[in-house]
Amino acid sequence: MTPSADEGSPDAALASAVVRVAGTDGTVGGVGFLIAPDLVITCAHVVRDALGPPREHTGAPAGELTLDRPLAGPGRAAAEVAHWAPPRPDRTGDIAVLRLREPLPGAVPLAMADAGSLWGHPVRVLGLTRAFPDGVWHAGRLRGESAENRVRLSAADRRGGPLEHGFSGGPVWDEQAGAVVGMVVVAEFSGAPQSFAIPTESLVSEIPALAGVLRPASPFRGLDTFREPDADGYFGRDAEAEDIAGLLGRGDLPGVALTGPSGCGKSSLALAGVAPRLRAEGYEVLVLRADGDTPPRTALAAELLRLAGPGPHGADRGAALRGLEEELNRHGLVGAARRALGDPAGRYLLVLDQAEQLPAVPEAAGLLFPDPHPEALRVLLTLRADFLEAAPSHPLLGPALGRATVRPLLPMTRAQLSEVILRPLDRTPAVSYDPGLVHRVLDDAGAEPGALPRLGFVLERLWDERAAGRLRFTSYEELGGVSGALGRHAEAAWRACAGPADREEALRLLTGLLRLPPGGQAPLRTTLTRAEAGETRWRIARALAERRILVLGGGPQRGPTVELAHEALIDAWPALARQAAVRESPGASPPRRGDDPARERRLRQRALAVLGALLVIAAVASSLLYLATTDPARELRGAGRSAVGQSVSRTATMPLKTPT
């Protein structure tokens, strides 16, 4: 028997994954199928028949099994029992999971699905019978579940009968679901012979260790920022992460300002790319995400309390926070951190995420960017490119940029985007893309400004709608592709959550989620408390959060809060883009239908990003010129603030002035 030439067909998928289970003496017990590159699932009685222990034996039999793929040519692998659920008198169990000592070349695991109601679904199964030792197909239909959480398998028509021995352990391919929905168990429960299948959910309930294999979590983050615990799944920016980590750990300046347009991945690079590398070099990582409202000292005290481990609650927590704020006042960030974390020689990386949202609190400059800067403190800040022009006059960012290397983050190349799309599926080998889909996504993403959040969103939606282990081309088209999926989803959520009676309050909610920073060129997202929103708007916010457009959060000080899931929504979501246009020009009337404020903002942001890049280039040129004309002996002299510090300060701030 040969599989279909179509690599995406059920025949080809089954042929690649179905194995024959035999003992070392060649005795065939039945079939099984790959659910991971090194895991095969089959029936427990198949393993017993292959190895030969008496049927009343309940423990997992010892011994080596030999596996081969009867429909896919030569190649064998040795395996042993990894998980075991023996057949029980109550007609449950009868499951074995085998671990291969090395993968079968070319084999591709089968994707499994929980198909819900299975009644009447057409299925196909493969067996290795005495009459057809190299394989025979059987077409059938699924009927109601039995009391033992099994599903009855009937013939596809009246001429067919129940399955015979040789089908046990085989995958049940559901033609309607386009995936495997269970495993065949040939059994005679009463009287006439009957055939049953163990559905996916019963396999997982019997052997919970299979949950991560048969029901893998999405490997895509959607609109969520990658953080340090996500480092193993963060792809595409290795070179940039190494560069910035090297500047922070071994560079001449104590800080790096990572700048670029919204949606280029600054926060993820800082948190999931750079932070783990500095931690590996012995730094403790403190993350301070600016929200425009919380004073930096308070936010740092909360971060130190979190890092110190399980702490007090309620009034005791408030007292602990006040105590840490006082420690920060007295001893500075490094001194307070060493006392709070019990490490007298500790080194620290402060990640200041979304620095453009820092409140203009001049007294915090000495805390975040002390002068002289302690050797034990490194600062990495992320900053939107359109804020570069205003940054020098900001009471906190001005001192920071005076002692920081400015690194513009360029858009990802096609090769980097390919890593973002393909490498997350390395951990889920039973899932792949439809032919041609990756190239289409790459073409679409490469033309989109701020493409990463939109790309992450559409990949997550494709995962949610996968079928037969495939991320589908048809789903991509229906979602609207990279450019349209996020906006369509947001508009659908808006229509569902903001009915005519609530429309005015809903618009006020959107306006409250935006703010214009001093000197900024476009609105930023901001948090809104439940008290600020009021109960009507809070109800709408919760409904939008259920649809992953908004994110609920909060803490003991401010109470429950809500914010946009990502700044990309400001451009992608038409209703929000219209409110953003009003926010930018408070005296103007709302744009007419057909106007595109989001497009105008993108054009402006691109122009500002180009300007920012030119300013950085000017900084590098100025630095080289300055160093070329500086007396090296003078560089080594100085009291108080050294001449080196002076030259660095001048060089770093020069590109932030408008060239003349």
Side-chain angles (χ1 to χ4, degrees):
M1 251 175 73
T2 58
S4 165
D6 179 3
E7 292 184 358
S9 70
D11 285 358
L14 291 166
S16 175
V18 171
V19 301
R20 176 165 35 207
V21 180
T24 52
D25 62 355
T27 301
V28 176
V31 297
F33 57 98
L34 283 157
I35 55 174
D38 62 341
L39 293 178
V40 162
I41 193 166
T42 185
C43 292
H45 77 261
V46 166
V47 173
R48 286 183 179 172
D49 288 348
L51 293 178
R55 286 187 175 271
E56 61 271 13
H57 180 70
T58 59
E64 184 178 279
L65 295 155
T66 301
L67 310 180
D68 72 300
R69 293 181 296 156
L71 305 184
R76 295 176 180 273
E80 56 192 8
V81 176
H83 301 282
W84 181 258
R88 304 187 189 98
D90 63 356
R91 299 166 182 169
T92 60
D94 203 1
I95 303 167
V97 178
L98 314 178
R99 188 175 301 280
L100 280 66
R101 294 186 178 172
E102 57 185 34
L104 281 163
V108 179
L110 286 171
M112 298 193 69
D114 293 336
S117 175
L118 299 172
W119 181 270
H121 285 207
V123 298
R124 73 177 74 184
V125 294
L126 175 70
L128 307 173
T129 65
R130 290 182 180 178
F132 299 96
D134 292 324
V136 61
W137 294 109
H138 175 92
R141 289 191 178 274
L142 298 175
R143 299 304 181 189
E145 288 192 21
S146 71
E148 297 81 15
N149 293 324
R150 298 184 178 184
V151 180
R152 189 165 67 87
L153 255 170
S154 71
D157 53 50
R158 293 182 179 179
R159 292 174 295 177
L163 300 179
E164 56 184 298
H165 291 287
F167 282 89
S168 293
V172 179
W173 181 275
D174 188 319
E175 307 283 10
Q176 186 170 318
V180 175
V181 295
M183 180 179 71
V184 175
V185 177
V186 176
E188 299 176 11
F189 282 178
S190 60
Q194 297 185 79
S195 307
F196 292 87
I198 305 175
T200 301
E201 53 266 35
S202 296
L203 294 172
V204 173
S205 63
E206 284 275 8
I207 303 180
L210 292 178
V213 178
L214 303 186
R215 295 174 177 168
S218 173
F220 302 110
R221 296 283 297 166
L223 294 176
D224 294 341
T225 297
F226 284 87
R227 303 191 181 279
E228 195 172 350
D230 309 313
D232 288 346
Y234 176 65
F235 304 113
R237 293 284 196 188
D238 285 346
E240 291 92 335
E242 289 289 346
D243 173 51
I244 295 169
L247 286 172
L248 288 166
R250 295 170 290 280
D252 295 331
L253 299 178
V256 172
L258 182 60
T259 181
S262 178
C264 70
K266 301 182 295 297
S267 296
S268 292
L269 173 57
L271 298 172
V274 179
R277 286 168 167 81
L278 267 291
R279 188 180 293 279
E281 294 183 15
Y283 285 82
E284 180 63 78
V285 179
L286 291 79
V287 179
L288 181 60
R289 185 196 163 198
D291 62 9
D293 295 311
T294 306
R297 195 181 315 278
T298 302
L300 274 177
E303 177 71 349
L304 289 175
L305 189 61
R306 181 188 70 82
L307 291 173
H313 300 279
D316 291 339
R317 175 181 170 81
L321 283 172
R322 289 190 295 274
L324 282 170
E325 287 193 58
E326 185 58 33
E327 288 282 311
L328 289 164
N329 275 332
R330 291 179 180 176
H331 306 291
L333 178 52
V334 171
R338 286 174 170 174
R339 285 170 169 79
L341 305 180
D343 184 359
R347 296 187 297 168
Y348 304 97
L349 170 67
L350 173 61
V351 180
L352 188 54
D353 193 21
Q354 299 181 6
E356 65 274 1
Q357 300 214 45
L358 273 172
V361 186
E363 58 269 22
L367 176 64
L368 299 178
F369 316 111
D371 187 13
H373 199 98
E375 183 64 29
L377 177 64
R378 292 291 180 264
V379 180
L380 171 60
L381 53 90
T382 67
L383 182 67
R384 261 176 40 174
D386 59 346
F387 202 77
L388 271 173
E389 187 176 1
S393 61
H394 192 285
L396 289 182
L397 293 181
L401 293 173
R403 292 188 293 270
T405 301
V406 178
R407 270 292 189 265
L409 186 59
L410 300 178
M412 278 190 169
T413 64
R414 189 178 180 91
Q416 288 175 312
L417 288 172
S418 181
E419 286 192 53
V420 172
I421 295 169
L422 290 170
R423 288 190 61 187
L425 294 191
D426 290 347
R427 299 180 181 180
T428 53
V431 182
S432 60
Y433 290 92
D434 268 351
L437 178 55
V438 171
H439 292 289
R440 170 64 181 279
V441 174
L442 284 170
D443 289 342
D444 291 351
E448 277 289 305
L452 283 179
R454 296 170 185 250
L455 175 62
F457 179 82
V458 77
L459 291 175
E460 185 179 48
R461 291 296 306 278
L462 285 172
W463 174 271
D464 291 341
E465 299 190 13
R466 70 192 185 281
R470 288 291 187 96
L471 276 61
R472 295 297 190 184
F473 215 121
T474 52
S475 297
Y476 181 77
E477 297 283 1
E478 291 168 0
L479 288 168
V482 173
S483 62
L486 180 55
R488 288 188 188 183
H489 178 72
E491 280 296 290
W494 176 251
R495 289 193 297 271
C497 301
D502 293 329
R503 186 58 53 90
E504 194 64 32
E505 286 294 300
L507 289 172
R508 289 178 181 172
L509 170 66
L510 296 188
T511 303
L513 294 171
L514 302 170
R515 74 179 185 91
L516 282 173
Q521 301 296 320
L524 302 173
R525 60 174 172 165
T526 189
T527 55
L528 190 67
T529 67
R530 181 171 185 168
E532 292 165 344
E535 288 308 306
T536 299
R537 275 174 270 173
W538 187 256
R539 172 175 53 80
I540 299 169
R542 291 185 63 180
L544 289 169
E546 289 176 359
R547 290 161 173 81
R548 297 186 294 182
I549 298 301
L550 305 183
V551 177
L552 300 178
Q557 293 181 312
R558 301 187 67 198
T561 61
V562 64
E563 65 179 325
L564 294 171
H566 198 281
E567 276 185 357
L569 283 160
I570 299 175
D571 285 344
W573 183 2
L576 186 60
R578 290 190 289 270
Q579 291 304 108
V582 174
R583 187 79 176 188
E584 288 181 76
S585 304
S589 58
R592 299 183 301 275
R593 184 178 298 274
D595 289 349
D596 191 357
R599 179 177 179 275
E600 295 175 8
R601 187 180 303 104
R602 285 197 298 270
L603 291 173
R604 180 170 61 253
Q605 288 176 343
R606 270 187 277 183
L608 288 167
V610 171
L611 175 61
L614 291 174
L615 292 172
V616 172
I617 292 170
V620 174
S622 300
S623 300
L624 293 174
L625 178 61
Y626 180 88
L627 293 174
T629 58
T630 299
D631 176 10
R634 180 175 175 270
E635 292 283 328
L636 300 176
R637 297 193 301 269
R641 184 169 181 174
S642 70
V644 174
Q646 295 170 10
S647 68
V648 166
S649 178
R650 283 196 296 271
T651 301
T653 57
M654 281 174 62
L656 302 175
K657 299 175 183 177
T658 303
T660 58

